[in-house]
Amino acid sequence: MLALGALIPIGYVVQAAFSMGWDQLSALVFRPKVAELLVNTVLLVAIGVPATVVLGVGGAWLVERTTLPGRGVFKVALAAPLAIPAFVASYGWASAIPSLSGLWAAVLVATLAYFPLVYLPALAAIRGLDPALEESARSLGMGSWAVFFRVVAPQLRLAVLGGALVVALHLLAEYGAFAFLRFDTFTTAIVVAYESMFAGPNAAALGLVLALLCLILLGAESAARGRAHYARVGGGAPHPAETLGLGRLTVPAFTAVAAVLAGALVVPLTSVVRWLMRTDATAVGDVGLAALQTLGLALAGAVCTIAVALPFAWLAVRYPGRVSRLLEGAAYLASSLPAIIVALSFVAVTLAFAPSLYQTAFTVVAAYVVIFLPRALVPLRAGLSQVPESLEEAARALAVPPAAARLRVTVPLLLPAIGAGAALVALGAANELTATLLLAPTGTSTVATSFWSAASALDYPTAAPYAVLLVLLSVPAVALMFAHAAGRTLR
């Protein structure tokens, strides 16, 4: 039932596609404009995802396992870009360099905005590694690079694949960041089509192609993930892992990390502060009310999404097979669609079957669950995969009922993953734009919708206070996620 609920947007797109018929659908899909959008979207994912993996894994390794100067500060700073929504970062870059546009601008902004989604799980995984394995490899004559690629990298695979998949889905669904940079993807084209013709056939056809791209991504991630699970029983080596000296690479590594942080933090925040200094105090309006409404919707979305994601993660880890992968894939597939399609599907369903729910907080939260389900599912799945089932079996052998064994043994070990997943969802919900615009009750104005209303009208000074508030609202969630990642050790 949960999977069917998550598939409401897919059903909406498929129904719209079938209602057109093959002749109209093929005429809409097989045309030069769609080919251009396909090339743009594929290049964005093909370049952006590996770039975020390099920055995320490289940053985590440098701050955790090397003698990089200032690594304590860098460890926190590399997670900080997650507090700046991608469309706010794009607003900062576009207002600093108005000529910035096109594929490489989109790759630059998206990579700098999303690489912490790989950095945090990679950092948590590295901290959870048993250093005895690396010491054994070195005692057998392996060098540092061989130890990394043959011992460390395989153990990071699940965390990195999960982060990379989340980044790829974000790239497929992102609208605001690329609209600022005048870079056309399927999502920006769908939004334009919906704005011009509401739920017209053109937007539905584009959404169908976007859903197929998501299926390809899910298949690639599933094949790369395989059935391998890495769990550690016991405390491992009773000492921290060896710290590697960088030697002649110290200056290049320090410069690279500083350059990444300058692009991800300094440029967008400088632009926001510059526009904030020009803001008329009387134009700030109802910033406080917008903040309260944003917090309420984000917290409700986080709680409901975790409750829905837990059964999916449990089946994927404890009962792997075609059925569990199909259910998990349904969650990823639905969330890969642009938020505006999710919103319009809920508009259609509520108007058809439950008109009293149209434009209510319930509908907004339901849309958040569908949109942000992967954000909760990835950390929950990774957390469950590292909880040995033998612990539950030992509890049951002591006559503890199965439900009580899960509650007393598994749930405490899973709490950090639940906290990280809830923080990721709340962060996304606080920054969500298009679904909130369509589904929120009349009179509701969140920080994101207020920011977009001003920024899209090129009223940058009025948008600046909302941009600052979006960043401040995101800080606690990012701090929680960082605390989870930085404190990640298996006991």
Side-chain angles (χ1 to χ4, degrees):
M1 290 299 293
L2 293 176
L4 288 177
L7 285 175
I8 287 176
I10 299 295
Y12 171 77
V13 171
V14 172
Q15 185 276 332
F18 272 104
S19 67
M20 283 184 278
W22 172 249
D23 291 339
Q24 186 180 7
L25 180 62
S26 59
L28 289 171
V29 171
F30 299 109
R31 55 193 173 107
K33 180 60 179 176
V34 176
E36 177 191 341
L37 296 175
L38 181 63
V39 170
N40 285 352
T41 304
V42 170
L43 285 177
L44 180 67
V45 173
I47 300 172
V49 172
T52 59
V53 170
V54 170
L55 292 185
V57 177
W61 182 256
L62 284 172
V63 301
E64 189 58 32
R65 291 295 183 86
T66 72
T67 56
L68 180 73
R71 63 195 184 112
V73 175
F74 284 143
K75 185 182 293 184
V76 179
L78 285 171
L82 211 53
I84 305 175
F87 57 85
V88 173
S90 185
Y91 152 83
W93 275 93
S95 60
I97 310 175
S99 61
L100 198 65
S101 64
L103 171 64
W104 292 108
V107 169
L108 172 69
V109 173
T111 301
L112 293 175
Y114 290 133
F115 82 85
L117 293 173
V118 178
Y119 166 75
L120 286 175
L123 180 66
I126 290 173
R127 291 182 66 84
L129 297 180
D130 185 352
L133 296 176
E134 298 165 54
E135 293 163 1
S136 299
R138 289 194 181 90
S139 70
L140 294 174
M142 288 188 186
S144 298
W145 288 108
V147 170
F148 179 82
F149 285 108
R150 298 181 62 180
V151 178
V152 176
Q155 298 179 76
L156 301 182
R157 191 177 58 161
L158 284 180
V160 173
L161 283 174
L165 180 60
V166 172
V167 171
L169 294 176
H170 275 72
L171 293 178
L172 289 183
E174 177 60 44
Y175 165 68
F178 302 140
F180 269 123
L181 298 171
R182 301 180 295 280
F183 178 66
D184 291 334
T185 65
F186 275 106
T187 300
T188 61
I190 289 169
V191 172
V192 171
Y194 268 111
E195 286 177 344
S196 59
M197 299 181 64
F198 192 57
N202 186 25
L206 295 176
L208 193 61
V209 178
L210 194 56
L212 290 176
L213 286 178
C214 177
L215 272 179
I216 294 172
L217 279 177
L218 290 171
E221 193 269 349
S222 179
R225 187 196 333 158
R227 292 177 174 272
H229 298 290
Y230 298 94
R232 182 174 120 194
V233 178
H239 57 79
E242 179 183 353
T243 302
L244 302 177
L246 288 173
R248 290 179 299 177
L249 295 176
T250 299
V251 173
F254 183 89
T255 304
V257 175
V260 169
L261 291 176
L265 295 174
V266 176
V267 172
L269 291 181
T270 300
S271 293
V272 170
V273 171
R274 178 165 61 90
W275 289 115
L276 186 64
M277 299 296 289
R278 303 181 186 181
T279 301
D280 184 353
T282 60
V284 173
D286 298 324
V287 175
L289 179 61
L292 287 175
Q293 292 177 336
T294 301
L295 277 175
L297 290 173
L299 290 176
V303 171
C304 294
T305 306
I306 289 294
V308 172
L310 267 172
F312 285 94
W314 192 274
L315 287 173
V317 175
R318 294 297 173 86
Y319 305 97
R322 290 183 179 177
V323 174
S324 61
R325 292 195 179 195
L326 187 64
L327 294 175
E328 189 183 6
Y332 285 118
L333 182 61
S335 64
S336 71
L337 292 176
I340 193 168
I341 290 186
V342 176
L344 285 171
S345 69
F346 275 88
V347 168
V349 169
T350 53
L351 288 178
F353 302 105
S356 61
L357 294 178
Y358 175 63
Q359 286 196 327
T360 62
F362 175 86
T363 312
V364 177
V365 172
Y368 286 168
V369 170
V370 173
I371 294 168
F372 299 115
L373 196 52
R375 291 195 179 203
L377 198 48
V378 168
L380 287 177
R381 191 183 65 190
L384 271 172
S385 69
Q386 292 190 321
V387 176
E389 291 186 63
S390 58
L391 297 180
E392 272 188 41
E393 293 169 359
R396 288 199 294 270
L398 296 173
V400 178
R406 293 189 186 101
L407 191 63
R408 292 165 59 183
V409 176
T410 302
V411 171
L413 293 174
L414 198 56
L415 283 179
I418 292 175
L424 279 170
V425 174
L427 174 60
N431 299 332
E432 207 289 322
L433 180 63
T434 48
T436 311
L437 280 171
L438 267 68
L439 298 174
T442 302
T444 300
S445 179
T446 67
V447 179
T449 58
S450 300
F451 165 81
W452 186 255
S453 176
S456 59
L458 300 181
D459 189 357
Y460 291 159
T462 300
Y466 295 102
V468 173
L469 195 51
L470 281 170
V471 174
L472 293 178
L473 285 172
S474 301
V475 167
V478 175
L480 179 62
M481 292 159 55
F482 175 77
H484 162 69
R488 184 79 175 96
T489 53
L490 282 177
R491 298 176 178 84

